[in-house]
mmCIF file of all heavy atoms in Angstrom:
data_model
loop_
_atom_site.group_PDB
_atom_site.id
_atom_site.type_symbol
_atom_site.label_atom_id
_atom_site.label_comp_id
_atom_site.label_asym_id
_atom_site.label_seq_id
_atom_site.Cartn_x
_atom_site.Cartn_y
_atom_site.Cartn_z
ATOM 1 N N ILE A 14 -9.706 -4.361 -6.562
ATOM 2 C CA ILE A 14 -9.901 -5.784 -6.842
ATOM 3 C C ILE A 14 -9.998 -6.018 -8.340
ATOM 4 O O ILE A 14 -9.410 -6.941 -8.890
ATOM 5 C CB ILE A 14 -11.164 -6.294 -6.112
ATOM 6 C CG1 ILE A 14 -10.888 -6.349 -4.601
ATOM 7 C CG2 ILE A 14 -11.568 -7.678 -6.626
ATOM 8 C CD1 ILE A 14 -12.068 -6.778 -3.771
ATOM 9 N N GLY A 18 -7.439 -8.233 -11.267
ATOM 10 C CA GLY A 18 -8.466 -9.265 -11.289
ATOM 11 C C GLY A 18 -7.976 -10.677 -11.045
ATOM 12 O O GLY A 18 -8.511 -11.371 -10.185
ATOM 13 N N LEU A 19 -6.947 -11.094 -11.772
ATOM 14 C CA LEU A 19 -6.558 -12.498 -11.723
ATOM 15 C C LEU A 19 -6.085 -12.898 -10.332
ATOM 16 O O LEU A 19 -6.500 -13.919 -9.785
ATOM 17 C CB LEU A 19 -5.467 -12.759 -12.764
ATOM 18 C CG LEU A 19 -5.177 -14.240 -12.967
ATOM 19 C CD1 LEU A 19 -6.391 -14.951 -13.549
ATOM 20 C CD2 LEU A 19 -3.967 -14.427 -13.862
ATOM 21 N N THR A 20 -5.230 -12.055 -9.753
ATOM 22 C CA THR A 20 -4.725 -12.350 -8.414
ATOM 23 C C THR A 20 -5.879 -12.495 -7.426
ATOM 24 O O THR A 20 -5.911 -13.419 -6.615
ATOM 25 C CB THR A 20 -3.810 -11.206 -7.930
ATOM 26 O OG1 THR A 20 -2.932 -10.873 -8.993
ATOM 27 C CG2 THR A 20 -3.035 -11.615 -6.719
ATOM 28 N N HIS A 21 -6.811 -11.547 -7.538
ATOM 29 C CA HIS A 21 -7.927 -11.589 -6.594
ATOM 30 C C HIS A 21 -8.833 -12.777 -6.845
ATOM 31 O O HIS A 21 -9.348 -13.383 -5.906
ATOM 32 C CB HIS A 21 -8.717 -10.292 -6.662
ATOM 33 C CG HIS A 21 -8.034 -9.170 -5.955
ATOM 34 N ND1 HIS A 21 -7.210 -8.290 -6.599
ATOM 35 C CD2 HIS A 21 -8.039 -8.811 -4.663
ATOM 36 C CE1 HIS A 21 -6.732 -7.438 -5.727
ATOM 37 N NE2 HIS A 21 -7.226 -7.729 -4.543
ATOM 38 N N LEU A 22 -9.006 -13.097 -8.126
ATOM 39 C CA LEU A 22 -9.830 -14.250 -8.466
ATOM 40 C C LEU A 22 -9.238 -15.505 -7.830
ATOM 41 O O LEU A 22 -9.944 -16.310 -7.229
ATOM 42 C CB LEU A 22 -9.869 -14.395 -9.987
ATOM 43 C CG LEU A 22 -11.154 -14.969 -10.552
ATOM 44 C CD1 LEU A 22 -12.306 -14.021 -10.268
ATOM 45 C CD2 LEU A 22 -11.012 -15.203 -12.042
ATOM 46 N N LEU A 23 -7.924 -15.632 -7.944
ATOM 47 C CA LEU A 23 -7.261 -16.795 -7.366
ATOM 48 C C LEU A 23 -7.429 -16.838 -5.861
ATOM 49 O O LEU A 23 -7.711 -17.881 -5.289
ATOM 50 C CB LEU A 23 -5.763 -16.776 -7.722
ATOM 51 C CG LEU A 23 -5.441 -17.216 -9.141
ATOM 52 C CD1 LEU A 23 -3.955 -17.051 -9.431
ATOM 53 C CD2 LEU A 23 -5.857 -18.663 -9.346
ATOM 54 N N SER A 24 -7.264 -15.685 -5.220
ATOM 55 C CA SER A 24 -7.332 -15.730 -3.764
ATOM 56 C C SER A 24 -8.770 -15.925 -3.291
ATOM 57 O O SER A 24 -9.009 -16.660 -2.344
ATOM 58 C CB SER A 24 -6.716 -14.472 -3.151
ATOM 59 O OG SER A 24 -7.466 -13.356 -3.505
ATOM 60 N N ILE A 25 -9.713 -15.300 -3.993
ATOM 61 C CA ILE A 25 -11.113 -15.521 -3.616
ATOM 62 C C ILE A 25 -11.483 -16.984 -3.845
ATOM 63 O O ILE A 25 -12.165 -17.605 -3.035
ATOM 64 C CB ILE A 25 -12.047 -14.577 -4.408
ATOM 65 C CG1 ILE A 25 -11.853 -13.147 -3.910
ATOM 66 C CG2 ILE A 25 -13.505 -14.984 -4.239
ATOM 67 C CD1 ILE A 25 -12.564 -12.100 -4.739
ATOM 68 N N GLY A 26 -10.963 -17.553 -4.938
ATOM 69 C CA GLY A 26 -11.196 -18.970 -5.207
ATOM 70 C C GLY A 26 -10.647 -19.855 -4.096
ATOM 71 O O GLY A 26 -11.325 -20.764 -3.619
ATOM 72 N N THR A 27 -9.426 -19.560 -3.675
ATOM 73 C CA THR A 27 -8.822 -20.346 -2.595
ATOM 74 C C THR A 27 -9.661 -20.261 -1.330
ATOM 75 O O THR A 27 -9.930 -21.261 -0.669
ATOM 76 C CB THR A 27 -7.400 -19.810 -2.287
ATOM 77 O OG1 THR A 27 -6.710 -19.652 -3.519
ATOM 78 C CG2 THR A 27 -6.655 -20.749 -1.373
ATOM 79 N N ILE A 28 -10.062 -19.038 -1.022
ATOM 80 C CA ILE A 28 -10.875 -18.853 0.175
ATOM 81 C C ILE A 28 -12.201 -19.601 0.038
ATOM 82 O O ILE A 28 -12.656 -20.270 0.970
ATOM 83 C CB ILE A 28 -11.128 -17.350 0.417
ATOM 84 C CG1 ILE A 28 -9.816 -16.653 0.756
ATOM 85 C CG2 ILE A 28 -12.137 -17.140 1.528
ATOM 86 C CD1 ILE A 28 -9.901 -15.143 0.745
ATOM 87 N N ALA A 29 -12.790 -19.508 -1.158
ATOM 88 C CA ALA A 29 -14.087 -20.157 -1.369
ATOM 89 C C ALA A 29 -13.969 -21.668 -1.195
ATOM 90 O O ALA A 29 -14.821 -22.299 -0.571
ATOM 91 C CB ALA A 29 -14.620 -19.820 -2.757
ATOM 92 N N ILE A 30 -12.895 -22.254 -1.722
ATOM 93 C CA ILE A 30 -12.733 -23.705 -1.599
ATOM 94 C C ILE A 30 -12.584 -24.121 -0.142
ATOM 95 O O ILE A 30 -13.212 -25.068 0.322
ATOM 96 C CB ILE A 30 -11.508 -24.180 -2.421
ATOM 97 C CG1 ILE A 30 -11.826 -24.055 -3.916
ATOM 98 C CG2 ILE A 30 -11.154 -25.614 -2.072
ATOM 99 C CD1 ILE A 30 -10.616 -24.238 -4.805
ATOM 100 N N SER A 31 -11.778 -23.360 0.605
ATOM 101 C CA SER A 31 -11.604 -23.736 2.006
ATOM 102 C C SER A 31 -12.923 -23.589 2.766
ATOM 103 O O SER A 31 -13.271 -24.429 3.583
ATOM 104 C CB SER A 31 -10.520 -22.906 2.685
ATOM 105 O OG SER A 31 -9.790 -22.155 1.774
ATOM 106 N N PHE A 32 -13.630 -22.506 2.463
ATOM 107 C CA PHE A 32 -14.924 -22.308 3.116
ATOM 108 C C PHE A 32 -15.902 -23.409 2.748
ATOM 109 O O PHE A 32 -16.692 -23.859 3.568
ATOM 110 C CB PHE A 32 -15.528 -20.966 2.711
ATOM 111 C CG PHE A 32 -15.425 -19.936 3.775
ATOM 112 C CD1 PHE A 32 -14.824 -18.723 3.523
ATOM 113 C CD2 PHE A 32 -15.939 -20.168 5.038
ATOM 114 C CE1 PHE A 32 -14.724 -17.764 4.505
ATOM 115 C CE2 PHE A 32 -15.844 -19.219 6.029
ATOM 116 C CZ PHE A 32 -15.232 -18.014 5.750
ATOM 117 N N VAL A 187 -3.858 -15.604 2.806
ATOM 118 C CA VAL A 187 -4.148 -15.306 1.405
ATOM 119 C C VAL A 187 -4.485 -13.825 1.216
ATOM 120 O O VAL A 187 -3.951 -13.163 0.321
ATOM 121 C CB VAL A 187 -5.323 -16.188 0.898
ATOM 122 C CG1 VAL A 187 -5.850 -15.657 -0.418
ATOM 123 C CG2 VAL A 187 -4.866 -17.622 0.741
ATOM 124 N N THR A 188 -5.340 -13.280 2.074
ATOM 125 C CA THR A 188 -5.691 -11.868 1.900
ATOM 126 C C THR A 188 -4.494 -10.977 2.186
ATOM 127 O O THR A 188 -4.270 -9.993 1.486
ATOM 128 C CB THR A 188 -6.863 -11.454 2.806
ATOM 129 O OG1 THR A 188 -6.581 -11.851 4.133
ATOM 130 C CG2 THR A 188 -8.153 -12.072 2.348
ATOM 131 N N THR A 191 -2.498 -10.891 -1.008
ATOM 132 C CA THR A 191 -3.040 -10.119 -2.127
ATOM 133 C C THR A 191 -3.043 -8.631 -1.816
ATOM 134 O O THR A 191 -2.796 -7.815 -2.689
ATOM 135 C CB THR A 191 -4.466 -10.557 -2.505
ATOM 136 O OG1 THR A 191 -5.141 -10.938 -1.338
ATOM 137 C CG2 THR A 191 -4.448 -11.679 -3.490
ATOM 138 N N GLU A 223 -10.411 -4.117 1.085
ATOM 139 C CA GLU A 223 -10.117 -5.085 0.041
ATOM 140 C C GLU A 223 -9.931 -6.474 0.648
ATOM 141 O O GLU A 223 -10.483 -7.453 0.151
ATOM 142 C CB GLU A 223 -8.848 -4.652 -0.682
ATOM 143 C CG GLU A 223 -8.515 -5.481 -1.885
ATOM 144 C CD GLU A 223 -7.100 -5.213 -2.353
ATOM 145 O OE1 GLU A 223 -6.726 -4.030 -2.481
ATOM 146 O OE2 GLU A 223 -6.375 -6.183 -2.568
ATOM 147 N N GLY A 224 -9.171 -6.542 1.743
ATOM 148 C CA GLY A 224 -9.008 -7.825 2.432
ATOM 149 C C GLY A 224 -10.347 -8.362 2.911
ATOM 150 O O GLY A 224 -10.680 -9.526 2.688
ATOM 151 N N LEU A 226 -13.384 -7.655 1.867
ATOM 152 C CA LEU A 226 -14.275 -8.031 0.770
ATOM 153 C C LEU A 226 -13.882 -9.376 0.183
ATOM 154 O O LEU A 226 -14.736 -10.195 -0.163
ATOM 155 C CB LEU A 226 -14.249 -6.962 -0.327
ATOM 156 C CG LEU A 226 -15.015 -5.681 -0.007
ATOM 157 C CD1 LEU A 226 -14.868 -4.667 -1.133
ATOM 158 C CD2 LEU A 226 -16.478 -5.987 0.234
ATOM 159 N N GLN A 227 -12.565 -9.608 0.091
ATOM 160 C CA GLN A 227 -12.116 -10.913 -0.417
ATOM 161 C C GLN A 227 -12.654 -12.037 0.444
ATOM 162 O O GLN A 227 -13.163 -13.036 -0.065
ATOM 163 C CB GLN A 227 -10.602 -10.980 -0.384
ATOM 164 C CG GLN A 227 -9.935 -10.424 -1.595
ATOM 165 C CD GLN A 227 -8.443 -10.504 -1.409
ATOM 166 O OE1 GLN A 227 -7.884 -11.564 -1.192
ATOM 167 N NE2 GLN A 227 -7.802 -9.369 -1.479
ATOM 168 N N GLY A 228 -12.513 -11.878 1.755
ATOM 169 C CA GLY A 228 -13.013 -12.900 2.675
ATOM 170 C C GLY A 228 -14.515 -13.087 2.510
ATOM 171 O O GLY A 228 -15.026 -14.210 2.453
ATOM 172 N N LEU A 229 -15.215 -11.953 2.401
ATOM 173 C CA LEU A 229 -16.668 -11.979 2.274
ATOM 174 C C LEU A 229 -17.087 -12.657 0.968
ATOM 175 O O LEU A 229 -17.962 -13.524 0.954
ATOM 176 C CB LEU A 229 -17.188 -10.544 2.305
ATOM 177 C CG LEU A 229 -18.648 -10.339 2.639
ATOM 178 C CD1 LEU A 229 -18.938 -10.815 4.050
ATOM 179 C CD2 LEU A 229 -19.019 -8.871 2.500
ATOM 180 N N PHE A 230 -16.446 -12.284 -0.137
ATOM 181 C CA PHE A 230 -16.770 -12.877 -1.436
ATOM 182 C C PHE A 230 -16.494 -14.384 -1.409
ATOM 183 O O PHE A 230 -17.298 -15.179 -1.889
ATOM 184 C CB PHE A 230 -15.943 -12.245 -2.557
ATOM 185 C CG PHE A 230 -16.375 -10.855 -2.905
ATOM 186 C CD1 PHE A 230 -15.548 -10.016 -3.632
ATOM 187 C CD2 PHE A 230 -17.619 -10.384 -2.512
ATOM 188 C CE1 PHE A 230 -15.941 -8.723 -3.954
ATOM 189 C CE2 PHE A 230 -18.022 -9.102 -2.830
ATOM 190 C CZ PHE A 230 -17.183 -8.276 -3.546
ATOM 191 N N GLY A 231 -15.333 -14.739 -0.865
ATOM 192 C CA GLY A 231 -14.974 -16.150 -0.788
ATOM 193 C C GLY A 231 -16.045 -16.933 -0.043
ATOM 194 O O GLY A 231 -16.510 -17.973 -0.512
ATOM 195 N N ALA A 232 -16.455 -16.398 1.104
ATOM 196 C CA ALA A 232 -17.493 -17.064 1.904
ATOM 197 C C ALA A 232 -18.794 -17.140 1.109
ATOM 198 O O ALA A 232 -19.451 -18.184 1.055
ATOM 199 C CB ALA A 232 -17.715 -16.313 3.213
ATOM 200 N N GLY A 233 -19.151 -16.035 0.467
ATOM 201 C CA GLY A 233 -20.396 -15.984 -0.308
ATOM 202 C C GLY A 233 -20.407 -17.003 -1.434
ATOM 203 O O GLY A 233 -21.366 -17.761 -1.589
ATOM 204 N N VAL A 234 -19.312 -17.038 -2.181
ATOM 205 C CA VAL A 234 -19.228 -17.978 -3.311
ATOM 206 C C VAL A 234 -19.355 -19.414 -2.816
ATOM 207 O O VAL A 234 -20.083 -20.231 -3.385
ATOM 208 C CB VAL A 234 -17.894 -17.788 -4.071
ATOM 209 C CG1 VAL A 234 -17.659 -18.941 -5.028
ATOM 210 C CG2 VAL A 234 -17.894 -16.464 -4.812
ATOM 211 N N SER A 235 -18.662 -19.727 -1.711
ATOM 212 C CA SER A 235 -18.701 -21.102 -1.216
ATOM 213 C C SER A 235 -20.111 -21.476 -0.758
ATOM 214 O O SER A 235 -20.573 -22.583 -1.003
ATOM 215 C CB SER A 235 -17.706 -21.286 -0.074
ATOM 216 O OG SER A 235 -18.202 -20.689 1.099
#
Side-chain angles (χ1 to χ4, degrees):
Chain A
I14 289 178
L19 191 65
T20 314
H21 283 94
L22 212 64
L23 283 175
S24 65
I25 289 172
T27 313
I28 294 169
I30 290 169
S31 349
F32 256 125
V187 166
T188 51
T191 34
E223 187 193 312
L226 285 177
Q227 274 178 58
L229 199 64
F230 287 163
V234 167
S235 75

